């Protein structure tokens, strides 16, 4: 939504730099994780996912790293572009009914 | 590509009105979800459905009900809208409850 970025931690990067967005998840038994991107006025958009039997997965310009020891997930965006400006949030499959639990998100701002 | 379509982008309703939010998906997904998104609170699950005519309460079902009469359609109902239900509402669908959810564009509801 338009004001989903309010009250969120913000990461500001220069165009062309790499971005790293972090997420701490809550349930050590979670076995599947997803990163979403949400642009202003739009619904969340799937970026990349990873299963708990992996510690790294790469997509186009994005990499997700999973550290189960400290329950930490990160999203790396290479050569960040203005179109990457959005709120990014992680989701873990660890709800009591097996549903996804979403983090609150980080706002990425790319300076031209 | 998966398409999840919500019937309205913006709605303004009066306190006490009965409100219907409609969602349709075109990928024959079994599972559909309704979330609300508020600044600082992230996405919170209201209700979800594993199959036609089946529904399960999420984390914040109070004040809401749902209807799933057809596989492709999942409706969220506010029986008597209140101002604290002003929010962004997001519908999602997935092949299974344990995998990636694809989202609609959201409905911004304002209750006055």
């Amino acid at each position: 939504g338009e004001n989903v970025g309010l009250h969120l931690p913000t990461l500001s990067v220069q165009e062309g730099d790499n971005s790293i967005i972090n997420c701490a998840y809550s349930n050590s038994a979670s076995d599947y994780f997803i990163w979403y991107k949400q642009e202003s006025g739009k619904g969340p958009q799937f970026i990349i996912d990873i299963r708990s039997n992996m510690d790294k997965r790469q997509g186009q310009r994005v990499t997700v790293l999973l550290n189960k020891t400290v329950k930490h997930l990160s999203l790396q965006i290479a050569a960040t572009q203005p179109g990457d400006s959005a709120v990014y949030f992680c989701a873990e499959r660890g709800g009591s009914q097996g549903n996804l639990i979403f983090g609150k998100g980080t706002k990425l701002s790319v300076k031209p | 590509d998966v398409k999840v379509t919500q019937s309205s982008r913006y709605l303004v309703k009066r306190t006490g009105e009965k409100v219907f939010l409609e969602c349709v998906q075109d990928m024959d997904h079994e599972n559909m979800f309704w979330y609300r998104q508020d600044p600082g609170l992230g996405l919170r699950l209201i209700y979800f459905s594993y199959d036609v005519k089946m529904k399960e309460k999420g984390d914040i079902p109070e004040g809401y009900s749902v209807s799933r009469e057809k596989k492709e359609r999942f409706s969220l109902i506010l029986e008597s809208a209140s101002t604290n239900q002003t929010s962004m509402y997001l519908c999602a669908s997935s092949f299974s409850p344990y995998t990636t959810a694809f989202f609609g564009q959201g409905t911004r509801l304002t209750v006055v």
Side-chain angles (χ1 to χ4, degrees):
Chain A
E2 290 84 2
N3 62 347
V4 70
L6 293 178
H7 313 300
L8 292 177
T10 299
L11 174 65
S12 186
V13 301
Q14 202 71 39
E15 181 178 358
D17 287 352
N18 296 334
S19 304
I20 300 176
I21 301 170
N22 296 303
C23 178
Y25 62 91
S26 57
N27 188 345
S28 57
S30 292
D31 61 355
Y32 176 66
F33 305 88
I34 308 171
W35 277 102
Y36 286 92
K37 171 187 180 183
Q38 187 174 22
E39 296 173 276
S40 182
K42 297 183 179 180
Q45 179 185 3
F46 170 84
I47 303 173
I48 192 168
D49 59 2
I50 188 168
R51 298 192 183 280
S52 60
N53 60 353
M54 303 170 69
D55 53 21
K56 180 179 180 179
R57 190 165 187 223
Q58 289 185 289
Q60 189 176 17
R61 271 202 316 119
V62 295
T63 301
V64 55
L65 298 177
L66 176 63
N67 184 332
K68 294 181 288 293
T69 303
V70 294
K71 294 191 290 184
H72 184 266
L73 196 65
S74 68
L75 178 70
Q76 300 178 1
I77 304 173
T80 313
Q81 301 167 2
D84 294 326
S85 293
V87 173
Y88 291 81
F89 50 91
C90 64
E92 61 180 298
R93 185 173 75 194
S96 59
Q97 294 163 296
N99 52 291
L100 294 175
I101 302 170
F102 291 86
K104 292 184 174 48
T106 297
K107 183 177 182 180
L108 177 65
S109 178
V110 182
K111 296 176 286 187
Chain B
D1 281 354
V2 174
K3 190 160 187 185
V4 180
T5 304
Q6 295 181 230
S7 54
S8 304
R9 289 294 304 274
Y10 301 94
L11 276 178
V12 180
K13 296 292 182 180
R14 295 191 182 278
T15 300
E17 274 194 82
K18 189 169 186 176
V19 181
F20 293 86
L21 302 184
E22 305 287 349
C23 176
V24 178
Q25 50 94 4
D26 66 357
M27 283 302 292
D28 202 34
H29 282 169
E30 301 287 339
N31 305 279
M32 298 187 74
F33 309 82
W34 275 106
Y35 295 87
R36 63 177 284 177
Q37 185 177 36
D38 301 286
L41 296 176
L43 273 79
R44 293 180 292 167
L45 182 63
I46 304 172
Y47 266 99
F48 59 107
S49 169
Y50 292 124
D51 201 350
V52 175
K53 296 192 186 296
M54 295 184 68
K55 59 183 179 183
E56 296 286 343
K57 292 180 179 178
D59 300 319
I60 51 163
E62 295 78 19
Y64 303 94
S65 62
V66 290
S67 173
R68 184 105 181 261
E69 294 298 318
K70 293 185 178 180
K71 190 176 186 180
E72 67 270 19
R73 187 179 297 270
F74 192 36
S75 304
L76 180 69
I77 304 157
L78 287 66
E79 294 290 340
S80 177
S82 63
T83 55
N84 63 11
Q85 292 178 308
T86 291
S87 187
M88 168 68 83
Y89 289 88
L90 290 161
C91 175
S93 75
S94 66
F95 178 70
S96 85
Y98 313 118
T99 56
T100 305
F102 294 92
F103 285 86
Q105 78 278 22
T107 297
R108 178 156 294 283
L109 172 67
T110 302
V111 182
V112 298

